């Protein structure tokens, strides 16, 4: 049907868009099936190669580029191309199309999804300052962090309206990691705490972010704020009770405060 529409009216943009989506869906399904087959057979290297195959997306790429040929100012086609290149780990190309899309239409696709992907792409290519700038564009309402300004129900609605909690939590977690790499520990704590806040609103995703509590403790420890580190390590111990490193660092923090009686418990000294 799309091909017939294009035959009748070659400059009709919508059929190319639809073709792009169809080819993209087919390529994603083909890649998933291929990777699952390789993993089942223990062929992990082949599965990794299948993940990064750009050729299976060629039909979608050509369709989206045809949209751009007919409508050079189309932001959505650029965004779609960015997502394809991100999927196959071609991050330089992805950042190019994401940035072009944002320039043309700042609110394209709700924008937050673009900034999450743009931040991830910059991070993967080692451009940490650019990644920080991208993640900081997330439109996370700071009032949600203040329980005196809103109810829990409003928090939930706002989070779900803005974007899936999982995506926000992951973005702030990644931003915290970048700050930690740069020894910007206060900024890391602030970002990690946003992840924790989202976890408390949507506790079913805690399994993906268990390490956040420990990383907050580590940031406080690096700032010599040992009492705050202790509180964070305790929370980490509740979430991951069998992680030896958590108990060890808790003991270290108690030593820094000269609390030898408590630290012996966490070192398991009899």
């Amino acid at each position: 049907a799309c091909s017939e529409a294009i035959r009748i009216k070659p400059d009709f943009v919508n059929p190319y868009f639809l073709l792009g989506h169809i080819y993209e869906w087919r390529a994603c399904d083909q890649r998933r099936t291929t990777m699952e087959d390789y993993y089942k057979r223990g062929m992990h290297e082949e599965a990794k190669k299948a993940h990064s195959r750009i050729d299976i997306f060629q039909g979608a790429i050509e369709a989206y580029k045809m949209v751009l040929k007919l409508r050079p100012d189309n932001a959505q086609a650029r965004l779609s191309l960015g997502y394809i290149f991100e999927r196959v780990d071609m991050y330089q190309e992805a950042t190019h199309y994401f940035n072009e899309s944002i320039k043309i239409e700042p609110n394209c696709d709700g924008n937050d999804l673009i900034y999450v992907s743009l931040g991830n792409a910059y991070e993967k290519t080692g451009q940490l300052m650019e990644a920080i700038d991208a993640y900081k564009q997330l439109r996370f309402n700071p009032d949600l962090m203040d329980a005196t300004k809103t109810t829990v129900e409003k928090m939930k609605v706002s989070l779900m309206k803005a974007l899936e909690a999982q995506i926000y939590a992951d973005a702030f977690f990644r931003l915290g990691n970048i700050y930690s790499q740069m020894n910007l520990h206060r900024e890391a704590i602030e970002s990690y705490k946003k992840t924790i806040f989202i976890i408390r609103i949507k506790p079913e995703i805690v399994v993906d972010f268990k390490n956040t509590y420990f990383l907050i403790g580590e940031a406080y420890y690096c700032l010599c704020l040992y009492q705050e580190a202790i509180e964070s390590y305790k929370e980490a111990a509740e979430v991951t009770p069998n992680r030896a490193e958590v108990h060890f660092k808790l003991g270290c923090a108690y030593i820094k405060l000269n609390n030898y009686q408590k630290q012996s418990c966490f070192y398991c000294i009899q």
Side-chain angles (χ1 to χ4, degrees), residues 139-165:
R139 293 166 297 174
F140 184 77
N141 187 350
D143 286 349
L144 294 179
M145 301 290 285
D146 188 346
T148 65
K149 294 184 179 180
T150 185
T151 65
V152 171
E153 197 55 41
K154 283 183 180 178
M155 292 178 199
K156 290 180 179 179
V157 170
S158 296
L159 273 175
M160 294 309 105
K161 266 188 177 181
L163 199 59
E164 280 296 320

mmCIF file of all heavy atoms in Angstrom, residues 139-165:
data_model
loop_
_atom_site.group_PDB
_atom_site.id
_atom_site.type_symbol
_atom_site.label_atom_id
_atom_site.label_comp_id
_atom_site.label_asym_id
_atom_site.label_seq_id
_atom_site.Cartn_x
_atom_site.Cartn_y
_atom_site.Cartn_z
ATOM 1 N N ARG A 139 13.374 17.563 32.253
ATOM 2 C CA ARG A 139 12.434 18.469 32.907
ATOM 3 C C ARG A 139 11.803 17.812 34.124
ATOM 4 O O ARG A 139 10.613 17.551 34.183
ATOM 5 C CB ARG A 139 11.376 18.909 31.903
ATOM 6 C CG ARG A 139 11.939 19.785 30.807
ATOM 7 C CD ARG A 139 10.972 19.932 29.663
ATOM 8 N NE ARG A 139 10.718 18.647 29.025
ATOM 9 C CZ ARG A 139 9.826 18.460 28.065
ATOM 10 N NH1 ARG A 139 9.084 19.446 27.662
ATOM 11 N NH2 ARG A 139 9.664 17.270 27.524
ATOM 12 N N PHE A 140 12.650 17.553 35.111
ATOM 13 C CA PHE A 140 12.201 16.933 36.362
ATOM 14 C C PHE A 140 11.795 18.041 37.314
ATOM 15 O O PHE A 140 12.595 18.893 37.674
ATOM 16 C CB PHE A 140 13.344 16.107 36.955
ATOM 17 C CG PHE A 140 12.953 15.345 38.198
ATOM 18 C CD1 PHE A 140 12.212 14.184 38.095
ATOM 19 C CD2 PHE A 140 13.343 15.780 39.443
ATOM 20 C CE1 PHE A 140 11.869 13.472 39.220
ATOM 21 C CE2 PHE A 140 13.003 15.069 40.572
ATOM 22 C CZ PHE A 140 12.264 13.916 40.476
ATOM 23 N N ASN A 141 10.540 18.057 37.712
ATOM 24 C CA ASN A 141 10.009 19.124 38.556
ATOM 25 C C ASN A 141 10.627 19.065 39.951
ATOM 26 O O ASN A 141 10.366 18.140 40.708
ATOM 27 C CB ASN A 141 8.490 18.975 38.647
ATOM 28 C CG ASN A 141 7.845 20.148 39.382
ATOM 29 O OD1 ASN A 141 8.524 20.975 39.977
ATOM 30 N ND2 ASN A 141 6.533 20.204 39.326
ATOM 31 N N PRO A 142 11.445 20.069 40.341
ATOM 32 C CA PRO A 142 12.083 20.026 41.659
ATOM 33 C C PRO A 142 11.093 20.076 42.813
ATOM 34 O O PRO A 142 11.398 19.636 43.920
ATOM 35 C CB PRO A 142 12.995 21.262 41.657
ATOM 36 C CG PRO A 142 12.397 22.172 40.628
ATOM 37 C CD PRO A 142 11.807 21.261 39.589
ATOM 38 N N ASP A 143 9.886 20.628 42.559
ATOM 39 C CA ASP A 143 8.884 20.667 43.619
ATOM 40 C C ASP A 143 8.478 19.272 44.075
ATOM 41 O O ASP A 143 8.003 19.074 45.194
ATOM 42 C CB ASP A 143 7.633 21.424 43.153
ATOM 43 C CG ASP A 143 7.879 22.926 43.088
ATOM 44 O OD1 ASP A 143 8.926 23.370 43.602
ATOM 45 O OD2 ASP A 143 7.026 23.639 42.536
ATOM 46 N N LEU A 144 8.672 18.269 43.168
ATOM 47 C CA LEU A 144 8.316 16.901 43.531
ATOM 48 C C LEU A 144 9.196 16.387 44.661
ATOM 49 O O LEU A 144 8.825 15.465 45.378
ATOM 50 C CB LEU A 144 8.463 15.973 42.321
ATOM 51 C CG LEU A 144 7.507 16.231 41.151
ATOM 52 C CD1 LEU A 144 7.793 15.243 40.032
ATOM 53 C CD2 LEU A 144 6.070 16.129 41.591
ATOM 54 N N MET A 145 10.381 16.990 44.829
ATOM 55 C CA MET A 145 11.296 16.556 45.874
ATOM 56 C C MET A 145 10.892 17.108 47.239
ATOM 57 O O MET A 145 11.425 16.715 48.261
ATOM 58 C CB MET A 145 12.727 17.020 45.553
ATOM 59 C CG MET A 145 13.265 16.515 44.238
ATOM 60 S SD MET A 145 13.585 14.748 44.242
ATOM 61 C CE MET A 145 15.071 14.697 45.214
ATOM 62 N N ASP A 146 9.965 18.063 47.246
ATOM 63 C CA ASP A 146 9.549 18.720 48.482
ATOM 64 C C ASP A 146 8.165 18.225 48.871
ATOM 65 O O ASP A 146 7.167 18.583 48.267
ATOM 66 C CB ASP A 146 9.538 20.234 48.288
ATOM 67 C CG ASP A 146 9.291 20.979 49.595
ATOM 68 O OD1 ASP A 146 8.877 20.341 50.579
ATOM 69 O OD2 ASP A 146 9.516 22.204 49.610
ATOM 70 N N ALA A 147 8.116 17.388 49.895
ATOM 71 C CA ALA A 147 6.849 16.768 50.299
ATOM 72 C C ALA A 147 5.841 17.791 50.814
ATOM 73 O O ALA A 147 4.650 17.514 50.884
ATOM 74 C CB ALA A 147 7.103 15.717 51.378
ATOM 75 N N THR A 148 6.326 19.001 51.172
ATOM 76 C CA THR A 148 5.396 20.008 51.684
ATOM 77 C C THR A 148 4.618 20.684 50.560
ATOM 78 O O THR A 148 3.630 21.363 50.806
ATOM 79 C CB THR A 148 6.160 21.096 52.462
ATOM 80 O OG1 THR A 148 7.013 21.813 51.552
ATOM 81 C CG2 THR A 148 6.999 20.486 53.568
ATOM 82 N N LYS A 149 5.059 20.495 49.328
ATOM 83 C CA LYS A 149 4.435 21.192 48.205
ATOM 84 C C LYS A 149 3.477 20.332 47.395
ATOM 85 O O LYS A 149 2.789 20.821 46.519
ATOM 86 C CB LYS A 149 5.519 21.752 47.278
ATOM 87 C CG LYS A 149 6.350 22.851 47.912
ATOM 88 C CD LYS A 149 7.329 23.431 46.912
ATOM 89 C CE LYS A 149 8.146 24.553 47.536
ATOM 90 N NZ LYS A 149 9.103 25.133 46.584
ATOM 91 N N THR A 150 3.477 19.043 47.644
ATOM 92 C CA THR A 150 2.631 18.180 46.830
ATOM 93 C C THR A 150 2.330 16.891 47.577
ATOM 94 O O THR A 150 3.036 16.514 48.500
ATOM 95 C CB THR A 150 3.315 17.852 45.486
ATOM 96 O OG1 THR A 150 2.417 17.113 44.677
ATOM 97 C CG2 THR A 150 4.586 17.064 45.673
ATOM 98 N N THR A 151 1.271 16.221 47.190
ATOM 99 C CA THR A 151 0.922 14.951 47.815
ATOM 100 C C THR A 151 1.606 13.815 47.079
ATOM 101 O O THR A 151 2.063 13.972 45.950
ATOM 102 C CB THR A 151 -0.601 14.733 47.756
ATOM 103 O OG1 THR A 151 -0.982 14.605 46.384
ATOM 104 C CG2 THR A 151 -1.349 15.892 48.398
ATOM 105 N N VAL A 152 1.663 12.658 47.739
ATOM 106 C CA VAL A 152 2.271 11.486 47.116
ATOM 107 C C VAL A 152 1.552 11.142 45.821
ATOM 108 O O VAL A 152 2.176 10.799 44.816
ATOM 109 C CB VAL A 152 2.244 10.279 48.080
ATOM 110 C CG1 VAL A 152 2.677 9.009 47.357
ATOM 111 C CG2 VAL A 152 3.140 10.539 49.277
ATOM 112 N N GLU A 153 0.225 11.280 45.816
ATOM 113 C CA GLU A 153 -0.541 10.941 44.621
ATOM 114 C C GLU A 153 -0.178 11.875 43.473
ATOM 115 O O GLU A 153 -0.014 11.444 42.326
ATOM 116 C CB GLU A 153 -2.043 11.046 44.923
ATOM 117 C CG GLU A 153 -2.913 10.334 43.892
ATOM 118 C CD GLU A 153 -2.540 8.874 43.709
ATOM 119 O OE1 GLU A 153 -2.253 8.188 44.705
ATOM 120 O OE2 GLU A 153 -2.521 8.437 42.546
ATOM 121 N N LYS A 154 0.000 13.156 43.773
ATOM 122 C CA LYS A 154 0.396 14.109 42.742
ATOM 123 C C LYS A 154 1.789 13.798 42.217
ATOM 124 O O LYS A 154 2.084 13.971 41.041
ATOM 125 C CB LYS A 154 0.351 15.536 43.286
ATOM 126 C CG LYS A 154 -1.059 16.113 43.386
ATOM 127 C CD LYS A 154 -1.015 17.549 43.864
ATOM 128 C CE LYS A 154 -2.425 18.132 43.965
ATOM 129 N NZ LYS A 154 -2.395 19.520 44.472
ATOM 130 N N MET A 155 2.667 13.347 43.124
ATOM 131 C CA MET A 155 4.019 12.967 42.716
ATOM 132 C C MET A 155 3.947 11.844 41.679
ATOM 133 O O MET A 155 4.608 11.875 40.644
ATOM 134 C CB MET A 155 4.835 12.484 43.915
ATOM 135 C CG MET A 155 5.177 13.547 44.937
ATOM 136 S SD MET A 155 6.093 12.791 46.289
ATOM 137 C CE MET A 155 5.880 14.006 47.581
ATOM 138 N N LYS A 156 3.145 10.845 41.987
ATOM 139 C CA LYS A 156 3.032 9.691 41.094
ATOM 140 C C LYS A 156 2.504 10.116 39.732
ATOM 141 O O LYS A 156 3.039 9.725 38.697
ATOM 142 C CB LYS A 156 2.102 8.641 41.713
ATOM 143 C CG LYS A 156 2.677 7.926 42.927
ATOM 144 C CD LYS A 156 1.685 6.904 43.454
ATOM 145 C CE LYS A 156 2.253 6.163 44.667
ATOM 146 N NZ LYS A 156 1.293 5.188 45.211
ATOM 147 N N VAL A 157 1.449 10.920 39.738
ATOM 148 C CA VAL A 157 0.847 11.370 38.481
ATOM 149 C C VAL A 157 1.849 12.178 37.677
ATOM 150 O O VAL A 157 2.008 11.981 36.472
ATOM 151 C CB VAL A 157 -0.422 12.201 38.759
ATOM 152 C CG1 VAL A 157 -0.906 12.858 37.476
ATOM 153 C CG2 VAL A 157 -1.512 11.309 39.347
ATOM 154 N N SER A 158 2.563 13.088 38.339
ATOM 155 C CA SER A 158 3.527 13.938 37.638
ATOM 156 C C SER A 158 4.647 13.123 37.027
ATOM 157 O O SER A 158 5.057 13.352 35.893
ATOM 158 C CB SER A 158 4.105 14.982 38.603
ATOM 159 O OG SER A 158 3.095 15.852 39.052
ATOM 160 N N LEU A 159 5.138 12.157 37.781
ATOM 161 C CA LEU A 159 6.217 11.316 37.268
ATOM 162 C C LEU A 159 5.765 10.520 36.057
ATOM 163 O O LEU A 159 6.457 10.442 35.045
ATOM 164 C CB LEU A 159 6.708 10.361 38.354
ATOM 165 C CG LEU A 159 7.795 10.893 39.283
ATOM 166 C CD1 LEU A 159 8.079 9.881 40.383
ATOM 167 C CD2 LEU A 159 9.075 11.185 38.522
ATOM 168 N N MET A 160 4.599 9.914 36.165
ATOM 169 C CA MET A 160 4.133 9.068 35.075
ATOM 170 C C MET A 160 3.755 9.898 33.849
ATOM 171 O O MET A 160 3.886 9.451 32.728
ATOM 172 C CB MET A 160 2.928 8.230 35.532
ATOM 173 C CG MET A 160 3.273 7.213 36.607
ATOM 174 S SD MET A 160 4.704 6.184 36.187
ATOM 175 C CE MET A 160 5.956 6.887 37.249
ATOM 176 N N LYS A 161 3.283 11.127 34.082
ATOM 177 C CA LYS A 161 2.942 11.990 32.956
ATOM 178 C C LYS A 161 4.198 12.424 32.221
ATOM 179 O O LYS A 161 4.231 12.450 31.005
ATOM 180 C CB LYS A 161 2.195 13.235 33.467
ATOM 181 C CG LYS A 161 0.688 13.112 33.450
ATOM 182 C CD LYS A 161 0.082 14.453 33.788
ATOM 183 C CE LYS A 161 -1.434 14.384 33.698
ATOM 184 N NZ LYS A 161 -2.052 15.686 34.010
ATOM 185 N N ALA A 162 5.223 12.788 32.965
ATOM 186 C CA ALA A 162 6.435 13.317 32.347
ATOM 187 C C ALA A 162 7.162 12.253 31.536
ATOM 188 O O ALA A 162 7.566 12.480 30.418
ATOM 189 C CB ALA A 162 7.359 13.876 33.417
ATOM 190 N N LEU A 163 7.327 11.077 32.128
ATOM 191 C CA LEU A 163 8.076 10.017 31.461
ATOM 192 C C LEU A 163 8.039 8.806 32.367
ATOM 193 O O LEU A 163 7.784 8.919 33.560
ATOM 194 C CB LEU A 163 9.522 10.467 31.245
ATOM 195 C CG LEU A 163 10.354 9.726 30.182
ATOM 196 C CD1 LEU A 163 9.691 9.842 28.816
ATOM 197 C CD2 LEU A 163 11.747 10.307 30.116
ATOM 198 N N GLU A 164 8.291 7.622 31.831
ATOM 199 C CA GLU A 164 8.341 6.439 32.661
ATOM 200 C C GLU A 164 9.406 6.612 33.738
ATOM 201 O O GLU A 164 10.517 7.067 33.470
ATOM 202 C CB GLU A 164 8.662 5.206 31.823
ATOM 203 C CG GLU A 164 7.480 4.640 31.064
ATOM 204 C CD GLU A 164 6.400 4.120 31.986
ATOM 205 O OE1 GLU A 164 6.722 3.511 33.012
ATOM 206 O OE2 GLU A 164 5.221 4.341 31.678
ATOM 207 N N ALA A 165 9.057 6.235 34.965
ATOM 208 C CA ALA A 165 9.969 6.402 36.094
ATOM 209 C C ALA A 165 11.304 5.701 35.863
ATOM 210 O O ALA A 165 12.358 6.194 36.262
ATOM 211 C CB ALA A 165 9.310 5.870 37.372
#
